[in-house]
């Protein structure tokens, strides 16, 4: 990191669990940090570690070159920065929001004379500042801002730029989380089926993880080549899965919506030749 980056002054607004973890990582790396939180007591821990506690958002922003927001929601950002001069500032918003909200925030920042990046944090607080944790943050918006401050942004977690459209970080964030929850749903269904049958859960979970890894890779390869396994055969096989769930006394509510989507796709034509991945994507999109 250059001396210029070492001397970049950071203002962090919002000291919940994630904000505190971010601040602690920058302090550990020796970055000059000013913090502010609506509840002043929350700034105490970071102040004890070397941060400067500002009395107001305006004071924090005025002290900084790079302003990082980690607040509750967009309405809170509006309230906190109401009337604050952002001229010439670089603003990074790590507040969770929608792609549309990020695009609106980018226009809002531009109108106030600031460069803007939106960020989606792909981690939980204990992963922040731990290089081996695999944590990273998705960024979108000003490429110039990202390039200028990348060494600082990479201190708490990996930094991945996903596009100049300010909404792309939030869109990637939500899409990845949807994939995660879909995976968790299937894993929960699988464990529920074997629970109470004398099967070692740890051994089964290891087998499940191995199987999902292999199938995820196969599905991705098939989707990119435009060729998945026979849809009619898959739909026929779901009857066995549903009967087994019923016999085991397990609800099928976690997987049934996907099965129904497969049936709708099959109803469109001959299942032997259908590309179920592309076709079901079309069914989902309005």
């Amino acid at each position: 990191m250059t001396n210029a980056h070492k001397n970049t002054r950071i203002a962090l607004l919002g000291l919940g669990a994630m904000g505190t973890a971010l601040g602690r990582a920058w302090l550990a790396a020796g970055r000059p940090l000013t913090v502010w939180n609506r509840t002043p007591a929350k700034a105490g821990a970071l102040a004890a570690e070397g941060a400067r506690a500002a009395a107001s958002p305006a004071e924090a922003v005025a002290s900084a070159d790079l302003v990082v927001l980690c607040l509750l929601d967009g309405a809170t950002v509006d309230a906190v920065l109401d009337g604050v001069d952002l001229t010439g500032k670089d603003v990074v918003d790590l507040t969770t929001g929608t792609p549309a909200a990020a695009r609106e925030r980018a226009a809002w920042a531009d109108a106030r004379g600031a460069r803007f990046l939106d960020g989606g944090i792909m981690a939980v607080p204990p992963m922040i500042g731990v290089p081996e944790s695999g944590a990273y943050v998705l960024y979108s918006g000003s490429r110039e801002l990202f390039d200028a401050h990348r060494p600082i942004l990479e201190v708490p977690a990996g930094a991945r730029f996903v596009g100049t459209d300010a909404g792309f970080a939030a869109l990637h964030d939500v899409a990845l989380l949807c994939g995660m929850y879909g995976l968790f749903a299937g894993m929960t269904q699988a464990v529920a089926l074997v629970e109470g049958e004398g099967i070692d859960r740890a051994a089964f979970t290891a087998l499940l993880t191995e199987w999902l890894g292999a199938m995820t890779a196969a599905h991705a390869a098939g989707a990119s080549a435009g060729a998945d396994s026979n849809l009619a055969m898959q739909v026929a096989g779901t009857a066995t899965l549903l009967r087994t769930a019923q016999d085991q006394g397990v609800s099928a509510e976690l997987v049934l919506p996907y099965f129904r989507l497969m049936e709708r796709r099959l109803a469109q034509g001959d299942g032997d030749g259908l590309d179920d991945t592309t076709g079901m994507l079309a069914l989902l999109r309005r």
Side-chain angles (χ1 to χ4, degrees):
M1 185 177 291
T2 66
N3 288 331
H5 286 129
K6 289 181 179 179
N7 294 327
T8 298
R9 301 167 301 166
I10 307 167
L12 174 61
L13 281 65
L15 300 176
M18 182 59 75
T20 297
L22 293 168
R24 186 160 283 130
W26 278 314
L27 288 171
R31 305 281 77 78
L33 180 68
T34 298
V35 297
W36 176 87
N37 193 75
R38 182 167 288 173
T39 304
K42 288 190 175 181
L46 293 182
E49 297 176 32
R52 173 178 172 268
S56 68
E59 180 185 329
V61 171
S63 73
D65 307 300
L66 177 65
V67 179
V68 180
L69 310 173
C70 193
L71 297 164
L72 178 63
D73 53 27
T76 304
V77 174
D78 288 334
V80 166
L81 293 181
D82 183 34
V84 175
D85 184 9
L86 296 178
T87 305
K89 301 297 182 181
D90 286 340
V91 177
V92 176
D93 191 0
L94 301 181
T95 303
T96 301
T98 66
R103 292 174 183 126
E104 291 174 2
R105 183 66 63 195
W108 170 92
D110 183 66
R112 298 176 71 167
R115 293 193 297 186
F116 180 82
L117 271 182
D118 190 66
I121 303 175
M122 308 309 296
V124 293
M127 298 169 68
I128 299 299
V130 182
E132 63 272 20
S133 71
Y136 62 90
V137 181
L138 301 164
Y139 292 100
S140 60
S142 170
R143 180 77 207 208
E144 293 77 14
L145 189 163
F146 178 80
D147 289 341
H149 295 295
R150 184 169 188 167
I152 294 171
L153 299 176
E154 288 181 333
V155 169
R160 304 188 186 188
F161 188 78
V162 292
T164 56
D165 183 322
F168 277 9
L171 185 57
H172 278 73
D173 181 12
V174 171
L176 290 171
L177 288 173
C178 285
M180 179 192 76
Y181 283 119
L183 178 65
F184 287 176
M187 294 181 73
T188 301
Q189 180 78 14
V191 173
L193 288 170
V194 303
E195 194 78 357
E197 293 290 338
I199 295 173
D200 180 81
R201 182 187 285 195
F204 177 77
T205 301
L207 183 64
L208 175 62
T209 302
E210 178 185 352
W211 164 250
L212 290 175
M215 292 309 298
T216 299
H219 181 75
S224 64
D228 285 326
S229 59
N230 182 290
L231 181 59
M233 179 183 69
Q234 290 187 61
V235 171
T238 62
T240 299
L241 306 186
L242 294 174
R243 282 198 303 270
T244 302
Q246 184 175 18
D247 292 346
Q248 294 296 105
V250 174
S251 169
E253 63 191 288
L254 290 175
V255 294
L256 196 56
Y258 190 74
F259 292 169
R260 294 296 179 247
L261 194 67
M262 291 167 63
E263 292 170 358
R264 285 172 56 198
R265 174 60 177 153
L266 182 62
Q268 292 181 334
D270 178 11
D272 290 342
L274 288 177
D275 171 6
D276 50 305
T277 297
T278 303
M280 287 193 289
L281 284 174
L283 288 176
L284 285 175
R285 295 188 63 85
R286 297 175 183 175

